[in-house]
mmCIF file of all heavy atoms in Angstrom:
data_model
loop_
_atom_site.group_PDB
_atom_site.id
_atom_site.type_symbol
_atom_site.label_atom_id
_atom_site.label_comp_id
_atom_site.label_asym_id
_atom_site.label_seq_id
_atom_site.Cartn_x
_atom_site.Cartn_y
_atom_site.Cartn_z
ATOM 1 N N TRP A 1 -1.222 5.369 -9.769
ATOM 2 C CA TRP A 1 -0.766 6.753 -9.936
ATOM 3 C C TRP A 1 -1.589 7.704 -9.076
ATOM 4 O O TRP A 1 -1.083 8.715 -8.592
ATOM 5 C CB TRP A 1 -0.836 7.155 -11.405
ATOM 6 C CG TRP A 1 0.169 6.430 -12.239
ATOM 7 C CD1 TRP A 1 -0.073 5.482 -13.189
ATOM 8 C CD2 TRP A 1 1.587 6.577 -12.177
ATOM 9 N NE1 TRP A 1 1.107 5.026 -13.726
ATOM 10 C CE2 TRP A 1 2.151 5.685 -13.120
ATOM 11 C CE3 TRP A 1 2.441 7.364 -11.422
ATOM 12 C CZ2 TRP A 1 3.517 5.555 -13.331
ATOM 13 C CZ3 TRP A 1 3.811 7.238 -11.633
ATOM 14 C CH2 TRP A 1 4.337 6.351 -12.570
ATOM 15 N N GLU A 2 -2.851 7.395 -8.875
ATOM 16 C CA GLU A 2 -3.677 8.243 -8.000
ATOM 17 C C GLU A 2 -3.163 8.179 -6.567
ATOM 18 O O GLU A 2 -3.116 9.198 -5.863
ATOM 19 C CB GLU A 2 -5.133 7.784 -8.055
ATOM 20 C CG GLU A 2 -5.824 8.062 -9.383
ATOM 21 C CD GLU A 2 -7.255 7.549 -9.394
ATOM 22 O OE1 GLU A 2 -7.685 6.981 -8.373
ATOM 23 O OE2 GLU A 2 -7.925 7.714 -10.425
ATOM 24 N N LEU A 3 -2.765 6.987 -6.128
ATOM 25 C CA LEU A 3 -2.223 6.844 -4.783
ATOM 26 C C LEU A 3 -0.931 7.647 -4.641
ATOM 27 O O LEU A 3 -0.746 8.375 -3.662
ATOM 28 C CB LEU A 3 -1.949 5.369 -4.475
ATOM 29 C CG LEU A 3 -1.220 5.088 -3.156
ATOM 30 C CD1 LEU A 3 -2.063 5.529 -1.970
ATOM 31 C CD2 LEU A 3 -0.856 3.613 -3.047
ATOM 32 N N ILE A 4 -0.041 7.539 -5.632
ATOM 33 C CA ILE A 4 1.222 8.279 -5.583
ATOM 34 C C ILE A 4 0.958 9.783 -5.569
ATOM 35 O O ILE A 4 1.611 10.541 -4.844
ATOM 36 C CB ILE A 4 2.107 7.878 -6.779
ATOM 37 C CG1 ILE A 4 2.579 6.430 -6.617
ATOM 38 C CG2 ILE A 4 3.305 8.819 -6.914
ATOM 39 C CD1 ILE A 4 3.364 5.891 -7.796
ATOM 40 N N ALA A 5 -0.003 10.224 -6.359
ATOM 41 C CA ALA A 5 -0.342 11.651 -6.394
ATOM 42 C C ALA A 5 -0.834 12.136 -5.030
ATOM 43 O O ALA A 5 -0.474 13.233 -4.578
ATOM 44 C CB ALA A 5 -1.400 11.902 -7.461
ATOM 45 N N LYS A 6 -1.651 11.310 -4.353
ATOM 46 C CA LYS A 6 -2.151 11.688 -3.028
ATOM 47 C C LYS A 6 -1.016 11.766 -2.017
ATOM 48 O O LYS A 6 -0.981 12.668 -1.170
ATOM 49 C CB LYS A 6 -3.205 10.674 -2.565
ATOM 50 C CG LYS A 6 -4.517 10.752 -3.317
ATOM 51 C CD LYS A 6 -5.508 9.725 -2.787
ATOM 52 C CE LYS A 6 -6.826 9.792 -3.542
ATOM 53 N NZ LYS A 6 -7.788 8.776 -3.050
ATOM 54 N N ILE A 7 -0.092 10.802 -2.100
ATOM 55 C CA ILE A 7 1.041 10.807 -1.173
ATOM 56 C C ILE A 7 1.868 12.078 -1.353
ATOM 57 O O ILE A 7 2.246 12.745 -0.389
ATOM 58 C CB ILE A 7 1.914 9.554 -1.385
ATOM 59 C CG1 ILE A 7 1.130 8.291 -0.979
ATOM 60 C CG2 ILE A 7 3.214 9.646 -0.584
ATOM 61 C CD1 ILE A 7 1.853 6.991 -1.292
ATOM 62 N N ARG A 8 2.124 12.434 -2.598
ATOM 63 C CA ARG A 8 2.918 13.638 -2.866
ATOM 64 C C ARG A 8 2.163 14.899 -2.472
ATOM 65 O O ARG A 8 2.753 15.858 -1.972
ATOM 66 C CB ARG A 8 3.296 13.671 -4.343
ATOM 67 C CG ARG A 8 4.374 12.662 -4.713
ATOM 68 C CD ARG A 8 4.713 12.684 -6.183
ATOM 69 N NE ARG A 8 5.913 11.886 -6.475
ATOM 70 C CZ ARG A 8 6.308 11.560 -7.691
ATOM 71 N NH1 ARG A 8 5.607 11.962 -8.743
ATOM 72 N NH2 ARG A 8 7.389 10.837 -7.865
ATOM 73 N N ALA A 9 0.855 14.912 -2.711
ATOM 74 C CA ALA A 9 0.051 16.089 -2.361
ATOM 75 C C ALA A 9 0.053 16.336 -0.862
ATOM 76 O O ALA A 9 -0.073 17.474 -0.410
ATOM 77 C CB ALA A 9 -1.377 15.909 -2.871
ATOM 78 N N ASN A 10 0.207 15.251 -0.082
ATOM 79 C CA ASN A 10 0.225 15.380 1.367
ATOM 80 C C ASN A 10 1.623 15.660 1.905
ATOM 81 O O ASN A 10 1.819 15.740 3.119
ATOM 82 C CB ASN A 10 -0.321 14.098 2.024
ATOM 83 C CG ASN A 10 -1.806 13.937 1.807
ATOM 84 O OD1 ASN A 10 -2.533 14.919 1.703
ATOM 85 N ND2 ASN A 10 -2.270 12.696 1.733
ATOM 86 N N GLY A 11 2.580 15.818 0.991
ATOM 87 C CA GLY A 11 3.930 16.140 1.414
ATOM 88 C C GLY A 11 4.691 14.984 2.023
ATOM 89 O O GLY A 11 5.711 15.195 2.690
ATOM 90 N N ALA A 12 4.207 13.756 1.809
ATOM 91 C CA ALA A 12 4.888 12.585 2.364
ATOM 92 C C ALA A 12 5.864 11.997 1.350
ATOM 93 O O ALA A 12 5.759 12.249 0.150
ATOM 94 C CB ALA A 12 3.860 11.532 2.768
ATOM 95 N N LYS A 13 6.792 11.218 1.849
ATOM 96 C CA LYS A 13 7.770 10.581 0.975
ATOM 97 C C LYS A 13 7.198 9.273 0.428
ATOM 98 O O LYS A 13 6.476 8.571 1.107
ATOM 99 C CB LYS A 13 9.066 10.303 1.735
ATOM 100 C CG LYS A 13 9.813 11.564 2.161
ATOM 101 C CD LYS A 13 11.115 11.207 2.853
ATOM 102 C CE LYS A 13 11.882 12.463 3.248
ATOM 103 N NZ LYS A 13 13.161 12.127 3.932
ATOM 104 N N LEU A 14 7.577 8.969 -0.795
ATOM 105 C CA LEU A 14 7.141 7.714 -1.401
ATOM 106 C C LEU A 14 7.957 6.550 -0.852
ATOM 107 O O LEU A 14 9.167 6.655 -0.682
ATOM 108 C CB LEU A 14 7.297 7.760 -2.917
ATOM 109 C CG LEU A 14 6.293 8.591 -3.702
ATOM 110 C CD1 LEU A 14 6.663 8.568 -5.183
ATOM 111 C CD2 LEU A 14 4.886 8.061 -3.510
ATOM 112 N N SER A 15 7.264 5.451 -0.598
ATOM 113 C CA SER A 15 7.978 4.243 -0.208
ATOM 114 C C SER A 15 8.793 3.744 -1.395
ATOM 115 O O SER A 15 8.300 3.725 -2.525
ATOM 116 C CB SER A 15 6.991 3.152 0.220
ATOM 117 O OG SER A 15 7.639 1.898 0.307
ATOM 118 N N PRO A 16 10.040 3.327 -1.170
ATOM 119 C CA PRO A 16 10.847 2.765 -2.269
ATOM 120 C C PRO A 16 10.158 1.585 -2.947
ATOM 121 O O PRO A 16 10.369 1.325 -4.127
ATOM 122 C CB PRO A 16 12.142 2.328 -1.563
ATOM 123 C CG PRO A 16 12.215 3.189 -0.355
ATOM 124 C CD PRO A 16 10.790 3.399 0.080
ATOM 125 N N LEU A 17 9.293 0.888 -2.201
ATOM 126 C CA LEU A 17 8.594 -0.264 -2.763
ATOM 127 C C LEU A 17 7.720 0.146 -3.942
ATOM 128 O O LEU A 17 7.617 -0.575 -4.940
ATOM 129 C CB LEU A 17 7.743 -0.940 -1.682
ATOM 130 C CG LEU A 17 7.054 -2.252 -2.063
ATOM 131 C CD1 LEU A 17 8.084 -3.294 -2.447
ATOM 132 C CD2 LEU A 17 6.213 -2.751 -0.904
ATOM 133 N N LEU A 18 7.121 1.337 -3.859
ATOM 134 C CA LEU A 18 6.241 1.789 -4.937
ATOM 135 C C LEU A 18 7.020 2.186 -6.187
ATOM 136 O O LEU A 18 6.424 2.409 -7.242
ATOM 137 C CB LEU A 18 5.391 2.969 -4.458
ATOM 138 C CG LEU A 18 4.277 2.629 -3.467
ATOM 139 C CD1 LEU A 18 3.613 3.907 -2.966
ATOM 140 C CD2 LEU A 18 3.244 1.719 -4.103
ATOM 141 N N GLN A 19 8.323 2.282 -6.074
ATOM 142 C CA GLN A 19 9.141 2.621 -7.234
ATOM 143 C C GLN A 19 9.661 1.377 -7.950
ATOM 144 O O GLN A 19 10.313 1.480 -8.986
ATOM 145 C CB GLN A 19 10.313 3.499 -6.784
ATOM 146 C CG GLN A 19 9.844 4.797 -6.110
ATOM 147 C CD GLN A 19 10.988 5.617 -5.569
ATOM 148 O OE1 GLN A 19 12.015 5.745 -6.215
ATOM 149 N NE2 GLN A 19 10.814 6.190 -4.388
ATOM 150 N N ALA A 20 9.362 0.204 -7.380
ATOM 151 C CA ALA A 20 9.805 -1.038 -8.013
ATOM 152 C C ALA A 20 8.899 -1.359 -9.202
ATOM 153 O O ALA A 20 7.701 -1.029 -9.199
ATOM 154 C CB ALA A 20 9.769 -2.181 -7.006
ATOM 155 N N PRO A 21 9.441 -1.981 -10.241
ATOM 156 C CA PRO A 21 8.622 -2.327 -11.415
ATOM 157 C C PRO A 21 7.433 -3.210 -11.039
ATOM 158 O O PRO A 21 7.568 -4.115 -10.224
ATOM 159 C CB PRO A 21 9.612 -3.088 -12.304
ATOM 160 C CG PRO A 21 10.950 -2.626 -11.872
ATOM 161 C CD PRO A 21 10.844 -2.370 -10.397
ATOM 162 N N TRP A 22 6.308 -2.914 -11.607
ATOM 163 C CA TRP A 22 5.066 -3.690 -11.476
ATOM 164 C C TRP A 22 4.398 -3.604 -10.108
ATOM 165 O O TRP A 22 3.389 -4.260 -9.885
ATOM 166 C CB TRP A 22 5.309 -5.167 -11.831
ATOM 167 C CG TRP A 22 6.010 -5.346 -13.135
ATOM 168 C CD1 TRP A 22 7.294 -5.775 -13.332
ATOM 169 C CD2 TRP A 22 5.494 -5.070 -14.439
ATOM 170 N NE1 TRP A 22 7.610 -5.801 -14.664
ATOM 171 C CE2 TRP A 22 6.503 -5.366 -15.378
ATOM 172 C CE3 TRP A 22 4.264 -4.597 -14.916
ATOM 173 C CZ2 TRP A 22 6.348 -5.208 -16.737
ATOM 174 C CZ3 TRP A 22 4.108 -4.446 -16.278
ATOM 175 C CH2 TRP A 22 5.138 -4.749 -17.176
ATOM 176 N N VAL A 23 4.955 -2.818 -9.193
ATOM 177 C CA VAL A 23 4.341 -2.705 -7.870
ATOM 178 C C VAL A 23 3.302 -1.587 -7.879
ATOM 179 O O VAL A 23 3.626 -0.436 -8.176
ATOM 180 C CB VAL A 23 5.391 -2.429 -6.779
ATOM 181 C CG1 VAL A 23 4.707 -2.146 -5.449
ATOM 182 C CG2 VAL A 23 6.328 -3.616 -6.646
ATOM 183 N N THR A 24 2.056 -1.930 -7.590
ATOM 184 C CA THR A 24 0.986 -0.950 -7.429
ATOM 185 C C THR A 24 0.242 -1.273 -6.148
ATOM 186 O O THR A 24 0.435 -2.341 -5.547
ATOM 187 C CB THR A 24 -0.004 -0.989 -8.611
ATOM 188 O OG1 THR A 24 -0.810 -2.180 -8.499
ATOM 189 C CG2 THR A 24 0.725 -0.976 -9.944
ATOM 190 N N ASN A 25 -0.624 -0.372 -5.725
ATOM 191 C CA ASN A 25 -1.377 -0.623 -4.503
ATOM 192 C C ASN A 25 -2.354 -1.789 -4.644
ATOM 193 O O ASN A 25 -2.876 -2.301 -3.657
ATOM 194 C CB ASN A 25 -2.139 0.640 -4.071
ATOM 195 C CG ASN A 25 -3.055 1.170 -5.144
ATOM 196 O OD1 ASN A 25 -2.659 1.276 -6.307
ATOM 197 N ND2 ASN A 25 -4.275 1.507 -4.771
ATOM 198 N N GLU A 26 -2.584 -2.264 -5.871
ATOM 199 C CA GLU A 26 -3.508 -3.377 -6.076
ATOM 200 C C GLU A 26 -2.962 -4.704 -5.561
ATOM 201 O O GLU A 26 -3.726 -5.662 -5.372
ATOM 202 C CB GLU A 26 -3.857 -3.495 -7.556
ATOM 203 C CG GLU A 26 -4.660 -2.304 -8.087
ATOM 204 C CD GLU A 26 -4.947 -2.432 -9.573
ATOM 205 O OE1 GLU A 26 -4.393 -3.365 -10.199
ATOM 206 O OE2 GLU A 26 -5.709 -1.615 -10.097
ATOM 207 N N ILE A 27 -1.650 -4.788 -5.348
ATOM 208 C CA ILE A 27 -1.092 -6.062 -4.895
ATOM 209 C C ILE A 27 -1.162 -6.203 -3.380
ATOM 210 O O ILE A 27 -0.929 -7.285 -2.844
ATOM 211 C CB ILE A 27 0.373 -6.243 -5.343
ATOM 212 C CG1 ILE A 27 1.305 -5.296 -4.560
ATOM 213 C CG2 ILE A 27 0.518 -6.041 -6.844
ATOM 214 C CD1 ILE A 27 2.770 -5.591 -4.808
ATOM 215 N N PHE A 28 -1.488 -5.130 -2.667
ATOM 216 C CA PHE A 28 -1.524 -5.190 -1.210
ATOM 217 C C PHE A 28 -2.855 -5.743 -0.722
ATOM 218 O O PHE A 28 -3.898 -5.505 -1.313
ATOM 219 C CB PHE A 28 -1.278 -3.803 -0.607
ATOM 220 C CG PHE A 28 0.093 -3.263 -0.915
ATOM 221 C CD1 PHE A 28 0.276 -2.317 -1.918
ATOM 222 C CD2 PHE A 28 1.196 -3.708 -0.208
ATOM 223 C CE1 PHE A 28 1.537 -1.825 -2.212
ATOM 224 C CE2 PHE A 28 2.462 -3.218 -0.498
ATOM 225 C CZ PHE A 28 2.635 -2.274 -1.493
ATOM 226 N N ARG A 29 -2.802 -6.487 0.371
ATOM 227 C CA ARG A 29 -3.990 -7.100 0.942
ATOM 228 C C ARG A 29 -4.070 -6.781 2.430
ATOM 229 O O ARG A 29 -3.054 -6.602 3.106
ATOM 230 C CB ARG A 29 -3.953 -8.619 0.758
ATOM 231 C CG ARG A 29 -4.027 -9.072 -0.699
ATOM 232 C CD ARG A 29 -5.415 -8.819 -1.268
ATOM 233 N NE ARG A 29 -5.536 -9.280 -2.642
ATOM 234 C CZ ARG A 29 -5.275 -8.554 -3.714
ATOM 235 N NH1 ARG A 29 -4.842 -7.305 -3.575
ATOM 236 N NH2 ARG A 29 -5.436 -9.034 -4.925
ATOM 237 N N VAL A 30 -5.291 -6.746 2.939
ATOM 238 C CA VAL A 30 -5.488 -6.585 4.377
ATOM 239 C C VAL A 30 -5.003 -7.853 5.079
ATOM 240 O O VAL A 30 -5.251 -8.964 4.609
ATOM 241 C CB VAL A 30 -6.978 -6.338 4.687
ATOM 242 C CG1 VAL A 30 -7.202 -6.268 6.187
ATOM 243 C CG2 VAL A 30 -7.447 -5.047 4.021
ATOM 244 N N ASP A 31 -4.319 -7.696 6.190
ATOM 245 C CA ASP A 31 -3.743 -8.819 6.921
ATOM 246 C C ASP A 31 -4.760 -9.361 7.923
ATOM 247 O O ASP A 31 -5.238 -8.628 8.794
ATOM 248 C CB ASP A 31 -2.485 -8.333 7.633
ATOM 249 C CG ASP A 31 -1.809 -9.433 8.424
ATOM 250 O OD1 ASP A 31 -2.116 -10.612 8.181
ATOM 251 O OD2 ASP A 31 -0.967 -9.114 9.280
ATOM 252 N N TRP A 32 -5.067 -10.661 7.834
ATOM 253 C CA TRP A 32 -6.031 -11.289 8.744
ATOM 254 C C TRP A 32 -5.570 -11.186 10.194
ATOM 255 O O TRP A 32 -6.387 -10.977 11.088
ATOM 256 C CB TRP A 32 -6.219 -12.757 8.358
ATOM 257 C CG TRP A 32 -7.239 -13.467 9.190
ATOM 258 C CD1 TRP A 32 -7.036 -14.109 10.380
ATOM 259 C CD2 TRP A 32 -8.646 -13.580 8.918
ATOM 260 N NE1 TRP A 32 -8.221 -14.625 10.860
ATOM 261 C CE2 TRP A 32 -9.218 -14.315 9.979
ATOM 262 C CE3 TRP A 32 -9.461 -13.148 7.867
ATOM 263 C CZ2 TRP A 32 -10.575 -14.622 10.028
ATOM 264 C CZ3 TRP A 32 -10.815 -13.458 7.919
ATOM 265 C CH2 TRP A 32 -11.363 -14.177 8.988
ATOM 266 N N LEU A 33 -4.272 -11.310 10.424
ATOM 267 C CA LEU A 33 -3.762 -11.252 11.787
ATOM 268 C C LEU A 33 -4.159 -9.959 12.485
ATOM 269 O O LEU A 33 -4.620 -9.972 13.633
ATOM 270 C CB LEU A 33 -2.232 -11.382 11.770
ATOM 271 C CG LEU A 33 -1.518 -11.152 13.112
ATOM 272 C CD1 LEU A 33 -1.867 -12.255 14.100
ATOM 273 C CD2 LEU A 33 -0.010 -11.090 12.902
ATOM 274 N N HIS A 34 -4.004 -8.824 11.776
ATOM 275 C CA HIS A 34 -4.291 -7.537 12.402
ATOM 276 C C HIS A 34 -5.763 -7.153 12.322
ATOM 277 O O HIS A 34 -6.292 -6.511 13.223
ATOM 278 C CB HIS A 34 -3.420 -6.451 11.771
ATOM 279 C CG HIS A 34 -1.968 -6.618 12.063
ATOM 280 N ND1 HIS A 34 -1.113 -7.334 11.249
ATOM 281 C CD2 HIS A 34 -1.215 -6.196 13.107
ATOM 282 C CE1 HIS A 34 0.093 -7.335 11.770
ATOM 283 N NE2 HIS A 34 0.075 -6.659 12.892
ATOM 284 N N ALA A 35 -6.439 -7.537 11.237
ATOM 285 C CA ALA A 35 -7.851 -7.194 11.099
ATOM 286 C C ALA A 35 -8.726 -8.069 11.987
ATOM 287 O O ALA A 35 -9.692 -7.583 12.585
ATOM 288 C CB ALA A 35 -8.294 -7.335 9.643
ATOM 289 N N ALA A 36 -8.378 -9.357 12.094
ATOM 290 C CA ALA A 36 -9.215 -10.303 12.825
ATOM 291 C C ALA A 36 -8.592 -10.708 14.155
ATOM 292 O O ALA A 36 -9.053 -10.290 15.220
ATOM 293 C CB ALA A 36 -9.487 -11.534 11.958
ATOM 294 N N ASP A 37 -7.533 -11.534 14.111
ATOM 295 C CA ASP A 37 -6.975 -12.099 15.347
ATOM 296 C C ASP A 37 -6.702 -11.043 16.416
ATOM 297 O O ASP A 37 -7.131 -11.187 17.563
ATOM 298 C CB ASP A 37 -5.674 -12.846 15.046
ATOM 299 C CG ASP A 37 -5.884 -14.011 14.094
ATOM 300 O OD1 ASP A 37 -7.008 -14.530 14.022
ATOM 301 O OD2 ASP A 37 -4.918 -14.400 13.414
ATOM 302 N N GLN A 38 -5.965 -10.003 16.046
ATOM 303 C CA GLN A 38 -5.639 -8.948 17.004
ATOM 304 C C GLN A 38 -6.583 -7.755 16.906
ATOM 305 O O GLN A 38 -6.377 -6.748 17.566
ATOM 306 C CB GLN A 38 -4.193 -8.483 16.789
ATOM 307 C CG GLN A 38 -3.170 -9.577 17.074
ATOM 308 C CD GLN A 38 -1.743 -9.129 16.851
ATOM 309 O OE1 GLN A 38 -1.486 -8.186 16.109
ATOM 310 N NE2 GLN A 38 -0.803 -9.798 17.488
ATOM 311 N N GLY A 39 -7.612 -7.896 16.075
ATOM 312 C CA GLY A 39 -8.586 -6.826 15.871
ATOM 313 C C GLY A 39 -9.955 -7.200 16.380
ATOM 314 O O GLY A 39 -10.182 -7.304 17.587
ATOM 315 N N VAL A 40 -10.883 -7.443 15.450
ATOM 316 C CA VAL A 40 -12.274 -7.663 15.855
ATOM 317 C C VAL A 40 -12.440 -8.924 16.693
ATOM 318 O O VAL A 40 -13.302 -8.974 17.576
ATOM 319 C CB VAL A 40 -13.208 -7.719 14.628
ATOM 320 C CG1 VAL A 40 -13.244 -6.388 13.914
ATOM 321 C CG2 VAL A 40 -12.808 -8.828 13.677
ATOM 322 N N THR A 41 -11.643 -9.960 16.441
ATOM 323 C CA THR A 41 -11.804 -11.196 17.200
ATOM 324 C C THR A 41 -11.406 -11.004 18.654
ATOM 325 O O THR A 41 -12.114 -11.449 19.565
ATOM 326 C CB THR A 41 -10.977 -12.331 16.570
ATOM 327 O OG1 THR A 41 -11.325 -12.463 15.191
ATOM 328 C CG2 THR A 41 -11.247 -13.651 17.270
#
């Protein structure tokens, strides 16, 4: 809910994904491909 509040406070639209049952920002993970392979590596 804090994430949703920040999104709304910034005037941005909510992703439809966040409106799905049981979906919170806790289920998201950093992607190794972008953080490592195409990032620091």
Side-chain angles (χ1 to χ4, degrees):
W1 291 111
E2 290 178 0
L3 173 63
I4 291 175
K6 289 181 180 179
I7 293 174
R8 287 179 170 169
N10 290 329
K13 293 182 179 180
L14 286 177
S15 167
L17 186 61
L18 288 174
Q19 301 176 42
W22 310 110
V23 173
T24 73
N25 56 314
E26 294 178 352
I27 71 171
F28 296 101
R29 294 289 182 270
V30 176
D31 180 17
W32 183 272
L33 172 67
H34 293 91
D37 299 336
Q38 296 179 337
V40 295
T41 306

